[in-house]
Amino acid sequence: MTGLLRFATAGSVDDGKSTLIGRLLYDSKTVFSDQLDAVERIAADRGDDYTNLALLTDGLRAEREQGITIDVAYRYFATPVRSFIVADTPGHVQYTRNMVTGASTADVAVVLVDARKGVVEQTRRHASLSALLRVPHLVLAVNKMDLVDFDQAVFDGIVADFRAFAGRLDVKDVTAVPVAALQGDNVVDRSARTPWYDGPTLLGHLEQVDVARDDAQQRPARFPVQYVIRPMSVDRPDYRGYAGTLASGVLRRGDAVTVLPSGRTTTVAGLDTFDGELDTAVAGQAVTVRLADELDVSRGDMLVAAEAPPATTTSFEATVCWMADAPLRPGARLLVKHTTRTAKALVTALHDALDVTTLSREPVDALPLNGIGRVTVRTSSPLVPDDYVADRRTGAFVLIDEATGATVGAGMIGSQLGVRA
């Protein structure tokens, strides 16, 4: 496999997420010498008799002092096979919103379990959130195997418990790896202490996991307009282009596209980049689109494949993770930002809240901080979303406090967690 892979780590407190990422960075030789020197100094000041690789990701002073992860830490590293962006997410319940943020764009969720404790409440919580966010691949990293003498029976029991719960979430792709992050067993290099395990190392699996089937290029074209360009240059005084990043699908010169929400249809006259004109643009690519006809197109509009447009709506049902201290109640007036369009919004109904550990839903009057619930939202101007299950990019939105500009919620349009009995 080649290209970029985004993955997020999740798990309970002290399961070793930051240490695991530090080990990945260290053993893959992507740690600069000055970073390692700084970590060794901090470890010495704290009286540690080992190099605490968790400090490579726990960058906040409060994180270092308490020995916990509070904020999402993003790190980049690469091997000869693939490049990676990893999100180290917190394990505490009160930082659920941070975990949602880190996993929202992940291709893989690495859920850690302490081999001594097995599957606990936070394990189920993070597996549920990963499924709700439609992360296509899960890895169960059973960590601290050295503390249970690398007992295969312990590993097999934890894997069976996790697979039983993941099966209720309809998660189809789960890979389990026994690791000891502190010593590096089965993280980058295969461990001689697990002769009974014949699967890949954690890095080996991440290098080879196939995300092609989740490729955004296979979906209908969606191009949110970010900026209208009119250079008015001497050479091209009539130039008009629409700049943005292709969210999904493929655009080619001559393709029929519909401008939403107006509904006008035209064709692609050209695709421009800083390096020159293209015949084809693919998902994730930043381009400027020129159209064959002069239409009224503004920031927040979306160019979509004419043969497969999304529905235009001013009211939709969604699942929301609430991120503000003050609870969300029906009647709340907010701003909704969907791709490049921002509109005033009213939460007209709060249907229920999801308990991500028991997978039950209960009616509620308000959604507290870190709560996850199903709502109905009405907007002041039309949006053109896809269902989140069909497209994570154009099915997601954020809720913003109109007075402060703070992000107070993250939403998934039409998304519900499918639970098997």
Side-chain angles (χ1 to χ4, degrees):
M1 297 296 113
T2 58
L4 176 68
L5 182 80
R6 297 175 180 268
F7 71 95
T9 59
S12 189
V13 179
D14 294 329
D15 279 350
K17 298 179 298 300
S18 297
T19 300
L20 180 72
I21 296 173
R23 176 60 64 181
L24 276 171
L25 297 173
Y26 181 77
D27 284 359
S28 62
K29 298 178 175 56
T30 53
V31 179
F32 292 114
S33 59
D34 58 337
Q35 293 175 305
L36 188 60
D37 290 343
V39 166
E40 290 175 341
R41 284 196 302 272
I42 295 172
D45 292 342
R46 288 169 45 166
D48 295 338
D49 58 0
Y50 62 94
T51 299
N52 189 347
L53 296 177
L55 297 174
L56 290 170
T57 57
D58 287 339
L60 299 177
R61 181 186 297 273
E63 293 177 326
R64 296 195 299 267
E65 291 175 349
Q66 298 180 49
I68 63 172
T69 300
I70 297 173
D71 202 1
V72 182
Y74 293 94
R75 293 293 182 267
Y76 169 88
F77 71 101
T79 69
V81 177
R82 172 175 256 169
S83 298
F84 302 91
I85 295 177
V86 52
D88 181 20
T89 67
H92 282 70
V93 175
Q94 61 264 41
Y95 301 128
T96 296
R97 57 183 174 179
N98 303 58
M99 187 270 172
V100 169
T101 300
S104 62
T105 58
D107 303 303
V108 178
V110 179
V111 180
L112 269 75
V113 171
D114 187 325
R116 300 167 300 175
K117 301 174 183 176
V119 174
V120 297
E121 179 179 319
Q122 276 296 80
T123 312
R124 293 188 288 271
R125 175 182 295 273
H126 287 142
S128 299
L129 290 172
S130 298
L132 181 65
L133 292 163
R134 310 293 168 175
V135 180
H137 308 278
L138 288 186
V139 175
L140 175 65
V142 182
N143 193 24
K144 304 187 181 182
M145 286 295 297
D146 53 317
L147 301 182
V148 295
D149 297 324
F150 293 93
D151 189 335
Q152 181 181 1
V154 172
F155 175 75
D156 290 344
I158 292 172
V159 173
D161 289 346
F162 185 83
R163 287 189 184 277
F165 184 78
R168 293 184 62 198
L169 302 173
D170 202 22
V171 175
K172 297 179 176 60
D173 184 18
V174 178
T175 299
V177 184
V179 300
L182 199 60
Q183 290 83 23
D185 296 83
N186 292 329
V187 177
V188 172
D189 301 313
R190 180 170 296 281
S191 173
R193 298 192 283 184
T194 54
W196 42 265
Y197 173 71
D198 59 2
T201 65
L202 176 62
L203 181 61
H205 175 69
L206 294 175
E207 286 182 327
Q208 298 301 320
V209 65
D210 185 6
V211 295
R213 66 186 178 194
D214 312 307
D215 198 335
Q217 295 179 29
Q218 307 303 317
R219 304 186 183 100
R222 301 287 188 260
F223 183 81
V225 176
Q226 184 172 355
Y227 188 70
V228 179
I229 300 177
R230 291 196 67 189
M232 301 298 291
S233 65
V234 175
D235 294 333
R236 305 182 71 177
D238 59 344
Y239 185 95
R240 181 183 289 270
Y242 306 99
T245 299
L246 187 57
S248 58
V250 177
L251 276 182
R252 300 177 179 86
R253 187 188 295 110
D255 280 356
V257 293
T258 299
V259 181
L260 294 178
S262 71
R264 299 289 299 276
T265 298
T266 182
T267 58
V268 176
L271 300 163
D272 300 328
T273 70
F274 179 80
D275 296 319
E277 192 170 351
L278 301 177
D279 293 324
T280 302
V282 299
Q285 200 163 13
V287 295
T288 298
V289 180
R290 287 180 283 113
L291 301 178
D293 301 296
E294 291 188 7
L295 302 179
D296 182 11
V297 182
S298 304
R299 173 182 168 83
D301 290 349
M302 190 180 293
L303 310 181
V304 304
E307 73 278 6
T312 300
T313 183
T314 56
S315 181
F316 57 87
E317 192 172 293
T319 297
V320 167
C321 176
W322 189 243
M323 300 179 173
D325 293 325
L328 173 65
R329 302 181 188 278
R333 295 183 180 274
L334 303 160
L335 297 177
V336 59
K337 187 176 189 304
H338 171 254
T339 65
T340 58
R341 177 178 286 264
T342 301
K344 292 185 177 182
L346 174 69
V347 178
T348 59
L350 174 55
H351 303 286
D352 54 41
L354 172 69
D355 186 325
V356 294
T357 57
T358 65
L359 307 181
S360 63
R361 291 183 177 274
E362 298 293 338
V364 291
D365 297 323
L367 199 63
L369 171 66
N370 292 316
I372 296 173
R374 196 161 47 93
V375 302
T376 297
V377 178
R378 189 171 74 237
T379 59
S380 61
S381 59
L383 302 183
V384 287
D386 289 290
D387 192 287
Y388 187 82
V389 175
D391 195 321
R392 294 169 72 194
R393 295 160 182 81
T394 55
F397 64 93
V398 296
L399 295 172
I400 300 169
D401 186 301
E402 192 171 7
T404 65
T407 299
V408 292
M412 295 152 280
I413 293 170
S415 182
Q416 294 191 47
L417 185 61
V419 179
R420 293 179 177 177

